[in-house]
């Protein structure tokens, strides 16, 4: 950069110091920062936080040889800490210089590193002892005028957001070499009593999860660029200052022959200003719609969050989520037994209705259930029956098993054959929260009704939420039109266009509508016998079982 005519001051937030502290040892340390004394006169500041050069501790480098005051304070580095990192402390002191620079147009360029808060103990030196004066934590990014940090996250796969312009093409050139340590959120500001996305903030790079990893922020005077990490950023920064910055910020590069003065208002082309105004209005409307959609998303998460809780939580949160589900399912008088101070709280939930008393034990565990855990509800069931003096008590064990695994990867069902048989013999029920999660969507898709599901919960053994009152009418052996049409041989089963079929594959059911029937290439509206072609409103695969809702005629006795 010096060879290209830039006036450079090579400063530093400080190098990391290896103190090699042993047990019970500590070192007095001084920050080895280096700021230009005339920092307020600089227009461009480049901070490379990814530079973690480390030097050995030398006592003479951390001893005050000239002291104009009586203050003899140091930063203490005590075992088990072995590395003294002065950059957070120095970053806090850099704030004053940055504020001076911000009084006029300036560019701040930052190459990121992991955002960490470092604790510093300021002590007064006293021989082999020290007196603690203050204890503070500072981030490496203390000097940043704006830092919308979300969380630390490392990654290598990045994508340029801005396209089809000089800056975007420049970033694409280096994109394969970027790594990142942090992700950022989109800051908001208030505009006419409305909170909108900050128009000064511009994401320029994202990761594969569409999270912001690099951005610019342009205020009245500030031009802030936060870039990812490059193993060697010398070519990048030189090209940026020679080719990109002069075009984007011509007043800071008066000698550049690449400045685009034609972009100024007085040189605007016909209709250009109107188009820019229309663009701004579109952007504000977009921001308003995004904000409204984010509110709707948040409300939806609150409304249906119990569905995630039943397959992730344990303890009280899991019980509360199951209660929420049961109430959604239509159960009334669902009682959280933790709220009943006068009763012995053995089961977690009670539901009493015309069928009797349903007692439920809910567990969230890391593995699968032991025999004793499955059968514990039996003891409580018989105790409640004895208290009531009648045998209208039903016991249900609900488990969120292997809860640290994605639910679809768990062992389903998680019960042994012996556990299922014992539940049948003991007249109690077994159920997983993953079944409840899927039950929600089966009800939405009209595979089973809420009323039917409530009845099924009183069954014994391992509960299965399958369509009720259905009759198997055949298995799909031939398909056409990629599965939208299949052949089925029926005998004394009435099928009619517009009727619904239940299609089962791998113990999972779908409800499909008949939209066409054919017999011997002739279209028919209704049929009861023969080998027929059935067209439905979704694809069906071979070996699928086909069921139909059974209608039971009334019987005269």
């Amino acid at each position: 950069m010096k060879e290209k005519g830039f006036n450079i001051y090579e400063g530093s937030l400080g190098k990391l110091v290896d103190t090699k502290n042993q047990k019970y040892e500590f070192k007095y340390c001084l920050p080895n920062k280096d700021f230009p004394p005339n920092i307020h006169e600089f227009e461009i500041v480049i901070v490379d936080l990814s530079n973690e050069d480390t030097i050995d501790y030398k006592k003479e480098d951390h001893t005050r040889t000239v002291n104009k005051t009586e203050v003899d304070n140091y930063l203490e580095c005590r075992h088990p800490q072995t590395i003294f990192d002065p950059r957070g402390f120095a970053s806090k002191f850099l704030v004053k210089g940055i504020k001076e620079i911000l009084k006029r147009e300036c560019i701040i360029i930052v190459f990121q590193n992991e955002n960490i808060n470092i604790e510093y103990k300021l002590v007064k030196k006293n021989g082999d002892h020290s007196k603690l004066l203050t204890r503070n934590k500072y981030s490496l990014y203390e000097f940043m005028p704006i830092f919308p940090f979300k969380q630390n996250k490392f990654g290598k796969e990045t994508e340029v957001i801005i396209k089809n312009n000089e800056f975007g093409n420049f970033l694409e050139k280096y994109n394969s070499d970027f790594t990142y340590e942090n992700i950022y959120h989109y800051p908001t500001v208030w505009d006419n009593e409305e909170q909108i996305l900050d128009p000064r903030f511009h994401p320029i790079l994202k990761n594969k999860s569409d999270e912001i990893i690099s951005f610019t922020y342009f205020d009245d005077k500030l031009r802030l660029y936060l870039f990812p990490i490059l193993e060697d950023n010398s070519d990048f920064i030189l090209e940026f200052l020679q080719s990109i910055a002069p075009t984007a910020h011509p007043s800071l590069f008066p000698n550049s022959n690449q400045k685009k003065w034609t972009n100024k208002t007085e040189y605007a082309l016909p209709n250009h200003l109107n188009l820019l105004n229309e663009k701004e209005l579109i952007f504000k409307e977009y921001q308003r719609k995004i904000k409204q959609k984010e509110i709707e998303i948040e409300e939806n998460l609150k409304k249906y969050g119990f569905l995630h809780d039943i397959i992730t939580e344990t303890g009280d949160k899991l019980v509360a989520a199951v209660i929420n589900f049961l109430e959604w399912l239509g159960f009334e008088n669902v009682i959280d037994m933790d709220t009943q101070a006068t009763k012995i709280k053995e089961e977690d939930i009670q539901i009493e209705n015309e069928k009797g008393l349903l007692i439920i034990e809910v567990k969230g565990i890391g593995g699968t259930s032991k025999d004793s855990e499955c059968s514990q509800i039996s003891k409580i069931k018989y105790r409640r029956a004895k208290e009531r003096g009648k045998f209208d008590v039903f016991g249900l064990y609900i488990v969120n098993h292997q809860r640290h695994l994605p639910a679809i990867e768990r062992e389903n069902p998680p019960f042994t054959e012996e556990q299922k048989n014992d539940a049948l013999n003991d007249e109690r029920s077994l159920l997983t929260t993953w079944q409840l999660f899927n039950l929600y969507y089966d009800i939405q898709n009209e595979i089973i009704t809420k009323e039917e599901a409530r009845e099924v919960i009183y069954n014994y053994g391992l509960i299965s939420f399958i369509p009720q009152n259905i009759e198997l009418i055949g298995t799909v052996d031939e398909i056409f039109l990629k599965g939208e049409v299949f052949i089925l041989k029926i005998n004394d089963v009435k099928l009619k266009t517009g009727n619904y079929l239940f299609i089962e594959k791998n113990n999972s059911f779908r409800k499909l509508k008949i939209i066409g029937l054919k017999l011997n290439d002739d279209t028919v509206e209704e049929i009861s016998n023969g080998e027929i072609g059935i067209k439905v409103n979704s694809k069906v695969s071979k070996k699928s079982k086909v069921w139909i809702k059974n209608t039971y005629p009334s019987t005269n006795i």
Side-chain angles (χ1 to χ4, degrees), residues 15-21 25-33 55-64 72-79 81-87 89 119-125 127 130:
K15 295 183 183 297
L16 280 64
V17 179
D18 186 355
T19 65
K20 295 182 172 60
N21 279 337
E25 274 190 340
F26 75 92
K27 299 285 194 311
Y28 291 121
C29 297
L30 292 173
N32 51 32
K33 62 182 174 63
I55 58 177
D56 289 334
Y57 180 87
K58 295 180 181 178
K59 187 174 182 179
E60 58 268 26
D61 293 336
H62 297 272
T63 303
R64 298 181 189 276
D72 197 19
N73 297 342
Y74 290 83
L75 297 171
E76 182 185 85
C77 179
R78 182 179 291 273
H79 187 272
Q81 183 183 0
T82 59
I83 298 294
F84 171 65
D85 186 346
R87 293 175 300 166
F89 191 80
E119 183 176 74
Y120 295 93
K121 292 187 290 184
L122 183 66
V123 300
K124 184 175 182 180
K125 186 177 181 180
S130 62

Side-chain angles (χ1 to χ4, degrees), residues 404-500:
H404 301 298
L405 290 177
I408 202 168
E409 297 177 13
R410 301 175 188 177
E411 182 183 343
N412 290 302
F415 306 108
T416 66
E417 288 301 317
E418 184 178 359
Q419 288 171 345
K420 289 186 281 186
N421 289 331
D422 286 346
L424 276 172
N425 295 332
D426 292 346
E427 296 185 346
R428 53 182 167 82
S429 310
L430 302 173
L431 181 61
T432 71
T433 57
W434 178 229
Q435 289 177 274
L436 292 181
F437 182 90
N438 287 300
L439 172 62
Y440 178 90
Y441 294 100
D442 282 346
I443 290 173
Q444 297 299 99
N445 294 324
E446 299 181 343
I447 303 298
I448 187 172
T449 67
K450 287 186 178 183
E451 293 76 14
E452 289 171 338
R454 292 198 301 270
E455 286 297 318
V456 169
I457 281 179
Y458 289 92
N459 292 344
Y460 299 142
L462 176 62
I463 291 174
S464 180
F465 294 108
I466 63 173
Q468 301 297 291
N469 302 324
I470 56 175
E471 176 186 354
L472 181 66
I473 61 173
T475 301
V476 176
D477 291 322
E478 292 183 80
I479 60 172
F480 300 93
L481 297 180
K482 297 182 179 180
E484 293 181 1
V485 173
F486 61 91
I487 305 300
L488 200 67
K489 187 174 183 179
I490 60 173
N491 182 27
D492 199 25
V493 177
K494 183 183 290 187
L495 297 182
K496 185 177 180 181
T497 300
N499 286 168
Y500 287 92

Side-chain angles (χ1 to χ4, degrees), residues 339-535:
T339 66
Q340 307 302 300
T342 58
K343 294 186 177 181
I344 300 174
K345 296 186 284 289
E346 292 185 280
E347 64 269 41
D348 296 300
I349 301 169
Q350 281 189 3
I351 302 174
E352 184 153 18
N353 52 34
E354 66 281 357
K355 292 181 72 71
L357 177 66
L358 174 62
I359 60 172
I360 305 172
E361 184 178 10
V362 181
K363 278 190 179 294
I365 56 179
T368 55
S369 302
K370 300 176 183 177
D371 293 350
S372 58
E373 291 172 322
C374 293
S375 62
Q376 178 63 27
I377 196 69
S378 289
K379 300 176 183 178
I380 306 171
K381 171 187 172 181
Y382 291 122
R383 190 174 298 127
R384 295 287 174 255
K386 186 175 181 181
E387 291 171 355
R388 294 163 65 86
K390 49 186 177 179
F391 294 97
D392 62 344
V393 181
F394 301 83
L396 171 61
Y397 173 67
I398 301 178
V399 63
N400 178 25
H401 66 291
Q402 296 173 315
R403 67 186 190 88
H404 301 298
L405 290 177
I408 202 168
E409 297 177 13
R410 301 175 188 177
E411 182 183 343
N412 290 302
F415 306 108
T416 66
E417 288 301 317
E418 184 178 359
Q419 288 171 345
K420 289 186 281 186
N421 289 331
D422 286 346
L424 276 172
N425 295 332
D426 292 346
E427 296 185 346
R428 53 182 167 82
S429 310
L430 302 173
L431 181 61
T432 71
T433 57
W434 178 229
Q435 289 177 274
L436 292 181
F437 182 90
N438 287 300
L439 172 62
Y440 178 90
Y441 294 100
D442 282 346
I443 290 173
Q444 297 299 99
N445 294 324
E446 299 181 343
I447 303 298
I448 187 172
T449 67
K450 287 186 178 183
E451 293 76 14
E452 289 171 338
R454 292 198 301 270
E455 286 297 318
V456 169
I457 281 179
Y458 289 92
N459 292 344
Y460 299 142
L462 176 62
I463 291 174
S464 180
F465 294 108
I466 63 173
Q468 301 297 291
N469 302 324
I470 56 175
E471 176 186 354
L472 181 66
I473 61 173
T475 301
V476 176
D477 291 322
E478 292 183 80
I479 60 172
F480 300 93
L481 297 180
K482 297 182 179 180
E484 293 181 1
V485 173
F486 61 91
I487 305 300
L488 200 67
K489 187 174 183 179
I490 60 173
N491 182 27
D492 199 25
V493 177
K494 183 183 290 187
L495 297 182
K496 185 177 180 181
T497 300
N499 286 168
Y500 287 92
L501 301 173
F502 292 92
I503 308 298
E504 179 192 0
K505 189 69 180 284
N506 299 326
N507 298 318
S508 179
F509 287 83
R510 291 183 297 150
K511 184 179 181 182
L512 303 186
K513 186 176 183 179
I514 299 175
I515 58 177
L517 293 168
K518 276 194 174 185
L519 177 64
N520 299 325
D521 293 329
D522 294 327
T523 299
V524 295
E525 286 296 315
E526 184 177 318
I527 193 167
S528 299
N529 294 280
E531 190 173 67
I532 60 172
I534 304 174
K535 184 176 177 61

Side-chain angles (χ1 to χ4, degrees), residues 13 33 35 86-99 120 136-144:
L13 289 174
K33 62 182 174 63
F35 300 160
R87 293 175 300 166
F89 191 80
S91 178
K92 181 68 176 177
F93 277 86
L94 184 58
V95 171
K96 183 178 179 182
I98 294 295
K99 286 182 178 178
Y120 295 93
N136 293 296
K137 286 186 177 182
Y138 298 121
S139 162
L140 300 184
Y141 292 89
E142 294 287 339
F143 68 91
M144 292 276 283

Side-chain angles (χ1 to χ4, degrees), residues 173-326:
K173 180 179 176 180
Y174 294 91
N175 187 48
S176 61
D177 299 323
F178 287 141
T179 60
Y180 61 92
E181 290 280 1
N182 308 313
I183 59 175
Y184 306 92
H185 65 82
Y186 210 125
T188 58
V189 293
W190 288 97
D191 180 33
N192 295 327
E193 299 184 354
E194 182 182 19
Q195 198 171 17
I196 63 171
L197 300 177
D198 192 337
R200 297 166 295 183
F201 180 87
H202 306 279
I204 57 176
L205 290 162
K206 63 181 180 178
N207 62 15
K208 293 300 181 182
S209 301
D210 289 333
E211 296 164 323
I212 301 169
I213 60 170
S214 177
F215 63 86
T216 65
Y217 184 88
F218 296 167
D219 208 339
D220 292 338
K221 296 182 175 63
L222 171 64
R223 313 296 183 245
L224 173 64
Y225 293 84
L226 186 139
F227 292 120
I229 299 168
L230 279 166
E231 188 173 344
D232 181 359
N233 53 35
S234 55
D235 289 339
F236 178 92
I237 196 63
L238 185 61
E239 185 177 351
F240 177 81
L241 291 177
Q242 286 185 313
S243 302
I244 305 301
T247 301
H249 317 295
S251 60
L252 288 171
F253 298 86
N255 298 322
S256 171
N257 57 10
Q258 299 183 37
K259 55 188 178 182
K260 303 294 185 181
W261 49 266
T262 56
N263 288 337
K264 293 185 178 180
T265 303
E266 51 265 38
Y267 304 104
L269 295 173
N271 299 321
H272 188 70
L273 295 180
N274 288 336
L275 292 171
L276 289 177
N277 288 335
E278 290 173 6
K279 177 184 175 183
E280 182 64 21
L281 291 174
I282 292 171
F283 181 67
K284 286 188 175 181
E285 178 64 13
Y286 161 77
Q287 289 179 313
R288 186 192 66 78
K289 289 182 177 179
I290 287 292
K291 180 186 174 184
Q292 178 59 37
K293 197 55 62 177
E294 287 176 344
I295 291 172
E296 292 175 16
I297 290 171
E298 187 62 30
E299 290 174 349
N300 192 68
L301 286 172
K302 290 179 180 177
K303 183 177 180 180
Y304 297 109
F306 68 92
L307 289 173
H308 276 171
D309 288 345
I310 63 174
I311 53 175
T312 58
E313 293 293 347
T314 186
D316 293 343
K317 285 187 176 180
L318 178 59
V319 172
V322 170
I323 289 174
N324 203 338
F325 187 95
L326 293 171

